[in-house]
Structure formats: C-alpha cells, structure tokens
C-alpha cells in the first residue's frame, strides 16, 4: 500500500515557467488537499477536493490550478512560476467526513529562480 | 476564520526529561478536532495525537499527552521521557467539523531539540 505519493521530489524552475506537481493516493479517499509550507512556517491550504470533479480554493490559491478527474489523482498546476512560489508542497488525503486523519505525501521541494 | 498560535519557536530539553509545547487557537465553533503533528528532517508529516473538542478527557498516546482547556482555547502537548528521536518540528492544527472539507489550519511550529 503506497499511500499518498508525490512526484517529483525536487524541482528547480525559472521565473515564468510552468509545471504540474503530481499527487496520487491508492486508499480510495474522497478528500484530497494541497498545502504549501514556506521556510520556518506551518502549512497553508492551497486547494482541496471533496471528490472527483469537485475542487475549491483554500487560503492561498493565487497562481495555482487543480483538477480532479479521478478519485486517485489530484495534480497541482503552477502557471508562470514566481519566486514567491518557492516552497515545499504537500498533498494529503482523507477518507471522508467521518475520518479524523489526513494522510500526507512526502512533499515536493520547489525552487523558483 | 480560525487561527492557531504557537508562541514558542524553539524549545530544548534534556533526554529523559519532560517538555511541554504550547498552542492556543481562536474559534467560535463548539465542535472541532485538534491535532499535534511531528515533522522530522525527512519532512514527513506524522500525526502524534488528536483531541475531539466534545471530549473532556485529555488524549494520551504512550509518552505523549495533551492538556486541553476548551474555555481557554489552549491545547498543549506534553512529551514525557524525551528521546533523541523526538527531535523535530511540532505543529498544532485545528480542524472544523462543520466546514465541508474539514480543512486543517496549522500553527507556525515549534522546533524541539533533545540534548543528550
């Protein structure tokens, strides 16, 4: 059971480039989340999804887009990367409303220069 | 909007001793969850302990326990018999039970150092 997987682990982007951070879970969880963690800070919610075809903005959505075409996958798209998007990105999943635990992926460290 | 505050950026403790990490939160809701997550240098987020707001009894998990004071909106983590493997960033987090997607709101974190 792989849990929540994220690719890539590390990436360096130039300003203005675009990329997609991949997230997949094999636990058949309905809820999925994207967080970012800036240096020395806690995690902040970017986007979330309560099921396939349903997404919504979190606290810091500007500069990002998401899609949820399947239960398993929840990719995060960065358009026109900026230095302010340098961060560690975490994907998480939760089975549903009655579950108490969110399961986190290992994170993707992104640097924009 | 809910907020979570951890007022101790860094803490240190001697191995085998006890340390308490502080957390306060702000909410107008009556039903919610509170969590402590551990983040070692590997970056993996590891759930340490959770507390349901409707439960008066403080949660415990082996060497980890909480002091939950609902009226004061305080949620501290006590680590007993500290071990070198406890060294990590610790994050307090709040989760509403009435919002649709049950989003987590995190504090800024406390870096815990264990001195041998």
């Amino acid at each position: 059971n792989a849990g929540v997987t994220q690719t890539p682990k590390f990436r360096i982007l130039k300003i203005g480039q675009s990329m997609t951070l991949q997230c997949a879970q094999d636990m058949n969880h309905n809820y999925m989340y994207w967080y970012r963690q800036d240096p020395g800070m806690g995690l902040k919610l970017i986007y979330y999804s309560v099921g396939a075809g349903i997404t919504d903005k979190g606290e810091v959505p500007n500069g990002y887009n998401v899609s949820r075409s399947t239960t398993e996958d929840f990719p995060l798209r960065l358009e026109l990367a900026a230095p302010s998007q340098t961060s560690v990105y975490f994907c998480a999943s939760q089975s549903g409303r009655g579950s108490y635990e969110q399961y986190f992926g290992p994170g993707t460290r992104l640097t924009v220069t | 909007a809910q907020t979570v505050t951890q007022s101790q950026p860094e803490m240190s403790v001697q191995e085998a001793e006890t340390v308490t990490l502080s957390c306060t939160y702000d909410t107008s809701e009556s039903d919610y969850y509170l969590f402590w997550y551990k983040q070692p240098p590997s970056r993996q987020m590891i759930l340490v302990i959770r507390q349901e707001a409707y439960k008066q009894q403080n949660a415990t998990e082996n060497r980890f326990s909480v002091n939950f004071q609902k009226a004061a909106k305080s949620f501290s983590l006590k680590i007993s018999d500290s071990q070198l493997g406890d060294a990590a960033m610790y994050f307090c987090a709040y989760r509403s039970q009435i919002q649709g997607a049950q989003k987590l709101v995190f504090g800024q974190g406390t870096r815990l150092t264990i001195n041998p």
Side-chain angles (χ1 to χ4, degrees):
Chain A
N1 192 340
V4 179
T5 58
Q6 293 183 237
T7 56
K9 286 186 170 53
F10 305 94
R11 183 72 185 269
I12 298 175
L13 279 183
K14 293 189 186 306
I15 294 171
Q17 287 185 323
S18 300
M19 77 163 294
T20 299
L21 280 64
Q22 300 292 343
C23 174
Q25 51 90 11
D26 61 0
M27 298 174 282
N28 201 32
H29 285 175
N30 288 321
Y31 294 2
M32 295 188 75
Y33 308 83
W34 274 107
Y35 296 90
R36 61 177 284 174
Q37 183 181 26
D38 297 333
M41 302 295 288
L43 281 68
K44 292 186 178 180
L45 184 66
I46 306 171
Y47 269 96
Y48 65 95
S49 169
V50 299
I54 306 169
T55 63
D56 207 347
K57 296 178 181 178
E59 184 183 359
V60 289
N62 292 342
Y64 306 94
N65 277 300
V66 294
S67 60
R68 184 96 183 270
S69 57
T70 67
T71 299
E72 294 78 19
D73 301 299
F74 191 41
L76 177 71
R77 178 80 177 164
L78 278 72
E79 304 283 0
L80 299 174
S84 61
Q85 294 178 304
T86 294
S87 192
V88 179
Y89 291 83
F90 288 95
C91 180
S93 73
Q94 178 181 325
S95 65
R97 182 171 178 79
S99 170
Y100 68 84
E101 185 169 359
Q102 287 188 15
Y103 295 83
F104 285 83
T108 294
R109 181 179 294 278
L110 176 67
T111 301
V112 182
T113 61
Chain B
Q2 292 81 21
T3 59
V4 177
T5 302
Q6 294 178 247
S7 58
Q8 306 155 315
E10 297 182 355
M11 293 282 285
S12 64
V13 65
Q14 290 296 126
E15 191 177 3
E17 293 189 346
T18 296
V19 63
T20 299
L21 308 184
S22 301
C23 173
T24 58
Y25 59 95
D26 187 27
T27 185
S28 58
E29 298 170 348
S30 59
D31 190 18
Y32 48 86
Y33 275 97
L34 295 164
F35 303 86
W36 279 98
Y37 279 87
K38 172 185 178 181
Q39 187 180 43
S42 67
R43 290 202 313 249
Q44 185 69 43
M45 294 292 288
I46 302 166
L47 179 63
V48 174
I49 197 166
R50 78 178 191 279
Q51 175 78 43
E52 293 93 330
Y54 67 87
K55 289 188 178 179
Q56 293 185 346
Q57 186 174 3
N58 289 324
T60 63
E61 288 287 344
N62 300 314
R63 298 182 295 107
F64 298 87
S65 62
V66 299
N67 184 4
F68 173 49
Q69 301 290 328
K70 190 172 184 180
K73 296 178 183 175
S74 170
F75 182 60
S76 61
L77 174 70
K78 185 171 82 170
I79 305 174
S80 304
D81 186 25
S82 298
Q83 300 176 359
L84 295 177
D86 295 334
M89 284 289 290
Y90 285 82
F91 293 96
C92 178
Y94 171 100
R95 193 182 83 188
S96 169
Q97 287 300 92
I98 65 172
Q99 294 173 5
Q102 302 185 317
K103 296 165 280 187
L104 287 172
V105 177
F106 286 85
Q108 306 93 316
T110 296
R111 182 176 301 281
L112 178 64
T113 302
I114 311 296
N115 300 313

